[in-house]
Amino acid sequence: MAQLDTLDVVVLVVVLLGTAAYFTKGRYWAVAKDPYVGSYVHANGLKAKKTRNIIQKMDESGKNCVIFYGSQTGTAEDYASRLAKEGSSRFGLKTMAADLEDYDYDNLDTFPEDKVAFFVLATYGEGEPTDNAVEFYEFFSNEDVSFSQGATKDDKPLSNLKFVAFGLGNNTYEHYNSMVRRIDTKLGVLGAIRVGEAGEGDDGAGTMEEDFLAWKEPMWAALTTVMHLEEREAVYEPVLEVRERPDLDPIASEVYLGEPNKHHLEGTSKGPYNAHNPFIAPISESRELFTVGDRNCLHMEIDISGSGFSYQTGDHIAIWPTNAGKFVDQFLATFGLTAKRHMVIDVKALESTAKVPFPTPTTYDAALRYHLEICGPVSRQFVSTLALYAPDEAAKKEITRLGGDKDYFHEKVSSRYLNISQTLNMAGNSQAWSTVPFSLLIEGIHKIQPRYYSISSSSLAQKQKVAITAAVESLRIPGSPDALKGVTTNYLLALKQKQHGDPNPDPHGLTYAITGPRNKKRTEDFIYQDDWEKFGEALGPSFKIITAFSREDPHRKVYVQHLLREHAQEVNEMLEKHRAYFYVCGDAANMARDVNSTLVQIIAQQRSVSEAKAEDIVKAMRASSQYQVRFETAVFVCALAGSRGIC
C-alpha cells in the first residue's frame, strides 16, 4: 500500500449510500457478508466468532453482563467499552462488549435472570438506527416479533431480561434519541425490566460526556441493589497485551504501517470494498475555492475507477484521516516513547470477547499515526484512571482534581479543546508519563474514525469521480497551546499542497480564522462562481441563481431564508406542480433549521393550510428524499425540477 505518511496523493475511501441505511439493512455495498471482517482478528492469531447466540457466547466465556452497542462514529462503542471495564473493575461483573450486528435476538426470551444486558444506542440521521443496529432495530420493530420459545408479545416473553439503556443523540435533529426511546419502550412492552433510568446524551448541546457520567453513577447504584453487587476499589485490568518485538525490523514485509488489513499489506487488495476494506483512491484534482490567503476551502475530486462504487445524489464518501506528525511527536514525548517510536509491537487479546482495534505487528508510531484518535476530546473518566501513573505527587493531585471536578475540568480542558497529550503536559508540568501502560492507552482512546463528506458532484456527469467540498478547520482557542485543527481537512489540505508541487506541505503550522456560514462575502466566499456562471450560460432562462452574502451590506444582513420568502410563490410552484427536489447545505443548529421553518411557512401561506399540515408536507418531502439536507460549512439551497432550477 502507498504509505500515506509520505503524502502520496491518495486517500482511503468508502462510498456510503446516505439515504439507504434503513432500507438496505446496513449493507451499503450490496454484499451479503464482509469477507474481511475478521482480518484484524486473524492478523492477531485468534479465531473469528463462530456463534450468533449471545447466551451461548456468554456461557462459554463465563460472562454475566453484556454491553451491546449501536455505533456510527465510535462513541457508543467507546461508552460500551468503558462500561464493560468499569463493571469489571469496580463491581466484579464478568463483562463483554458486543457489536449488535454480531448476534441474533430471537433467543432473548431465554436470557438468564442472573445476567444483565446493556444497550448503548446512538441515533443516526433522521431517527434511524446506526448501520450495525439496523437488523436489531427491525427485529424489535416487527409487530409480530416472535422468540425461540414461541411466546408472543402478550405473553411478556422477556420477563427474565434485566436491561440498562443509554442513548446518544443530537437535539438539532427532530427525532432526538429516538433509538433508545423506541427500544426502551419495546423491551418494556415485551416484559423486560429496566434497571435505573434510560440515559440520554446530547451531542447537539455539547454535553454528551457529562450526560453519560451523570447517568452512570445512579445506574450503578440501582444495578448494585438489583444484582446484589459489592463495589470495590477499581484497579486496571488489561484486556489487551502489548509485547515489543525488537527481533522485527519496522520495514519488514509483515509489519503493518497503516494498512487496514492483510490484503492491503500484501498488495493484493480487491473488492468488495467497504469499511473493513477501504479503497485506495487517487486524488485526480484539487483546488482552492476561497480567494483569500488566510482561509481555505477545498474542491477535491477523487477517482473511484476500479472500486465498483456507484453513487447518486445524497450519498456520502467516508475518508480515513492520518494524524499530523506534530501531534504524533507530541504524544510520543508525553508518554516517554520517542526513542521507541519505530519499535515493532504485537497486540494480543487476553480473552476471547476482546477485540484488537488494529492489525499487528505494527509500530508505536504507526498505531498513533493511523489508528488512535490522539487529537480527539478527552474523557474526564479516562483522565481519572491515569492518576496512578502520575510522574509526581503534584501531577497526581492535579489529575485527580481534573477527573473529579466537572467545572474545573471544563475550565482547564474542555473549553480549551485540549487533547490527551496537552492535558497531561499541563497537569504534569511537561514531565513524561512514562509508566502508563500502552495497553491502557489503546483501550482508553477512541479508534480513529472515517470522516463523512457529502458528495458534491453529479454521477450523471462524473460516474468515476467523486467530488467533495470542504472548508479547512483551524481555530485559535484562548488558553490552548495549539490551534484547534480539523484532523481530516488539514490532511486533505496537505495532500492538495503536495499535488500542487509543495515538497514539504505543512498546513498544521498555520493558523486560519474560520468565519461561520452566517458571515458571507461575495468577493471571498462565492464558491464555484465560475461553474455557476457556466451552468447559467448552458441552461439559459430555465436556470436562476440568487445569492445572499450577509457581509456585503453593513446595515442589513440578508440570509438564504429571506430570499426564499421573496420568491415564495415560485418556490412553492416548483415544489407542488413540478415535484422539484429541494437541497439544503448548511449548519444544523442555525441555517438548516431556519430554512426548514421558512419552507413550512411558505407552504402554509401559499397553499392555505395550517402550519401543522405544512410541517407534515415537509416531513413527507424529507421521507421521500424530495427534500435533502447536508450539514456542511457551505450554505446552499436549490430547488430543481427537470431542466428548470432556482438556487
Side-chain angles (χ1 to χ4, degrees):
M1 186 186 99
Q3 295 303 301
L4 300 186
D5 58 348
T6 64
L7 287 175
D8 288 332
V9 191
V10 298
V11 287
L12 293 174
V13 302
V14 166
V15 172
L16 303 176
L17 308 187
T19 59
Y22 184 78
F23 303 100
T24 62
K25 297 181 182 294
R27 297 191 181 93
Y28 284 131
W29 304 278
V31 290
K33 184 66 177 176
D34 170 22
Y36 301 109
V37 71
S39 294
Y40 293 169
V41 179
H42 290 307
N44 291 282
L46 295 176
K47 294 182 179 180
K49 297 184 182 72
K50 291 184 177 180
T51 180
R52 292 185 59 82
N53 184 324
I54 185 58
I55 298 171
Q56 178 184 340
K57 183 68 176 180
M58 293 177 74
D59 287 342
E60 290 175 350
S61 54
K63 307 299 183 184
N64 62 359
C65 174
V66 57
I67 299 97
F68 292 108
Y69 58 85
S71 187
Q72 191 69 24
T73 63
T75 306
E77 181 178 1
D78 173 65
Y79 283 176
S81 176
R82 286 162 59 179
L83 288 167
K85 291 183 178 68
E86 188 172 2
S88 174
S89 63
R90 281 182 64 186
F91 301 99
L93 287 166
K94 304 301 181 183
T95 60
M96 62 175 286
D99 189 327
L100 279 171
E101 70 179 354
D102 288 343
Y103 297 96
D104 298 321
Y105 299 94
D106 58 351
N107 65 343
L108 286 185
D109 56 339
T110 63
F111 198 86
E113 60 182 354
D114 61 344
K115 301 182 190 294
V116 63
F118 286 56
F119 296 93
V120 183
L121 305 172
T123 299
Y124 181 54
E126 297 297 329
E128 298 165 355
T130 57
D131 297 349
N132 72 319
V134 172
E135 292 188 3
F136 164 80
Y137 177 71
E138 289 187 340
F139 176 80
F140 279 104
S141 296
N142 190 336
E143 283 298 318
D144 298 321
V145 60
S146 61
F147 294 91
S148 61
Q149 302 300 305
T152 66
K153 66 179 181 180
D154 294 332
D155 300 317
K156 305 294 182 183
L158 302 186
S159 57
N160 280 347
L161 175 65
K162 299 182 183 71
F163 76 97
V164 172
F166 183 80
L168 297 81
N170 186 316
N171 70 7
T172 62
Y173 289 84
E174 178 182 359
H175 301 286
Y176 172 62
N177 260 314
S178 62
M179 267 296 289
V180 74
R181 293 177 180 180
R182 292 169 183 167
I183 293 300
D184 176 47
T185 299
K186 189 68 174 183
L187 291 175
V189 168
L190 294 170
I193 302 168
R194 190 186 66 231
V195 178
E197 296 297 321
E200 295 185 355
D202 187 0
D203 189 48
T207 59
M208 181 73 76
E209 177 71 12
E210 291 302 331
D211 292 339
F212 173 72
L213 296 180
W215 162 80
K216 72 180 183 66
E217 289 307 317
M219 178 278 295
W220 285 127
L223 191 63
T224 297
T225 300
V226 171
M227 295 195 68
H228 310 291
L229 304 175
E230 291 186 9
E231 186 172 1
R232 61 188 186 183
E233 183 178 356
V235 293
Y236 172 55
E237 299 173 343
V239 297
L240 300 175
E241 176 189 45
V242 178
R243 183 166 62 95
E244 294 183 350
R245 294 286 306 276
D247 58 304
L248 274 181
D249 192 306
I251 62 172
S253 60
E254 65 264 42
V255 176
Y256 290 83
L257 297 176
E259 296 86 358
N261 58 46
K262 188 175 182 180
H263 301 276
H264 281 268
L265 178 69
E266 295 176 344
T268 59
S269 173
K270 59 182 180 180
Y273 295 104
N274 50 44
H276 302 286
N277 184 42
F279 179 65
I280 303 176
I283 295 172
S284 59
E285 179 186 338
S286 58
R287 68 178 190 267
E288 290 278 0
L289 296 178
F290 286 160
T291 58
V292 289
D294 63 339
R295 298 165 61 213
N296 301 84
C297 185
L298 301 177
H299 170 90
M300 190 164 279
E301 294 187 6
I302 299 165
D303 192 338
I304 59 172
S305 300
S307 67
F309 293 149
S310 61
Y311 70 95
Q312 59 186 359
T313 301
D315 292 352
H316 293 76
I317 188 167
I319 297 179
W320 272 260
T322 295
N323 285 315
K326 171 180 178 178
F327 297 113
V328 174
D329 295 345
Q330 184 184 76
F331 191 100
L332 289 165
T334 298
F335 294 100
L337 294 169
T338 301
K340 291 184 173 183
R341 71 184 310 150
H342 298 304
M343 170 66 72
V344 177
I345 57 173
D346 267 329
V347 182
K348 303 284 187 182
L350 294 177
E351 57 175 80
S352 61
T353 60
K355 289 186 177 181
V356 178
F358 48 81
T360 67
T362 187
T363 65
Y364 286 115
D365 183 285
L368 301 175
R369 193 174 299 270
Y370 302 109
H371 298 297
L372 297 182
E373 200 78 76
I374 61 174
C375 294
V378 179
S379 159
R380 183 161 61 89
Q381 183 180 7
F382 180 59
V383 164
S384 296
T385 67
L386 300 178
L388 179 64
Y389 308 100
D392 59 26
E393 284 301 316
K396 183 176 183 179
K397 181 179 179 181
E398 178 67 8
I399 210 73
T400 300
R401 183 181 178 189
L402 286 169
D405 188 328
K406 177 177 70 173
D407 296 332
Y408 188 65
F409 184 83
H410 177 76
E411 175 192 346
K412 294 292 186 179
V413 179
S414 300
S415 66
R416 299 177 181 178
Y417 296 91
L418 300 187
N419 61 39
I420 187 62
S421 296
Q422 294 163 344
T423 300
L424 297 187
N425 289 343
M426 174 193 67
N429 198 23
S430 297
Q431 298 178 82
W433 295 62
S434 54
T435 61
V436 178
F438 197 67
S439 58
L440 176 57
L441 299 177
I442 297 173
E443 295 168 19
I445 297 174
H446 285 205
K447 179 185 173 185
I448 205 164
Q449 297 292 325
R451 272 56 168 181
Y452 300 90
Y453 294 89
S454 298
I455 294 174
S456 55
S457 54
S458 167
S459 60
L460 297 178
Q462 293 181 298
K463 288 187 177 181
Q464 297 303 317
K465 289 184 180 179
V466 168
I468 62 171
T469 307
V472 180
E473 298 171 296
S474 180
L475 185 64
R476 176 63 68 181
I477 304 295
S480 179
D482 298 289
L484 178 64
K485 298 288 184 178
V487 174
T488 308
T489 54
N490 279 275
Y491 173 54
L492 293 177
L493 177 57
L495 293 177
K496 177 260 178 187
Q497 292 173 346
K498 177 77 170 182
Q499 188 174 55
H500 287 262
D502 188 338
N504 298 296
D506 184 22
H508 300 276
L510 303 178
T511 299
Y512 306 100
I514 296 296
T515 305
R518 285 183 171 267
N519 282 316
K520 295 293 179 179
K521 195 172 183 179
R522 183 183 304 269
T523 56
E524 298 177 8
D525 303 296
F526 199 162
I527 63 175
Y528 297 116
Q529 181 175 5
D530 294 341
D531 301 87
W532 290 121
E533 290 174 353
K534 290 177 183 177
F535 293 151
E537 292 172 2
L539 296 171
S542 63
F543 178 79
K544 184 189 300 184
I545 183 166
I546 303 163
T547 55
F549 292 97
S550 57
R551 285 192 287 163
E552 286 194 326
D553 186 343
H555 304 294
R556 178 174 177 260
K557 291 189 179 295
V558 178
Y559 299 128
V560 171
Q561 56 268 32
H562 298 149
L563 298 182
L564 280 173
R565 291 192 186 99
E566 290 180 15
H567 296 81
Q569 182 177 349
E570 187 173 6
V571 169
N572 178 65
E573 180 181 314
M574 292 184 68
L575 294 173
E576 185 175 24
K577 294 183 179 180
H578 301 286
R579 296 292 297 170
Y581 287 89
F582 192 82
Y583 299 102
V584 181
C585 182
D587 72 295
N590 297 300
M591 179 268 187
R593 178 176 288 180
D594 290 346
V595 167
N596 189 87
S597 298
T598 300
L599 183 60
V600 168
Q601 293 166 9
I602 287 173
I603 289 175
Q605 293 164 3
Q606 294 294 317
R607 303 185 192 182
S608 299
V609 299
S610 67
E611 287 204 2
K613 175 64 176 177
E615 285 181 0
D616 290 339
I617 293 171
V618 170
K619 288 178 182 178
M621 289 172 58
R622 294 176 78 132
S624 67
S625 297
Q626 184 187 2
Y627 178 176
Q628 297 193 27
V629 182
R630 292 293 172 262
F631 300 135
E632 311 288 354
T633 303
V635 176
F636 181 80
V637 176
C638 268
L640 303 173
S643 61
R644 185 182 175 201
I646 178 172
C647 294

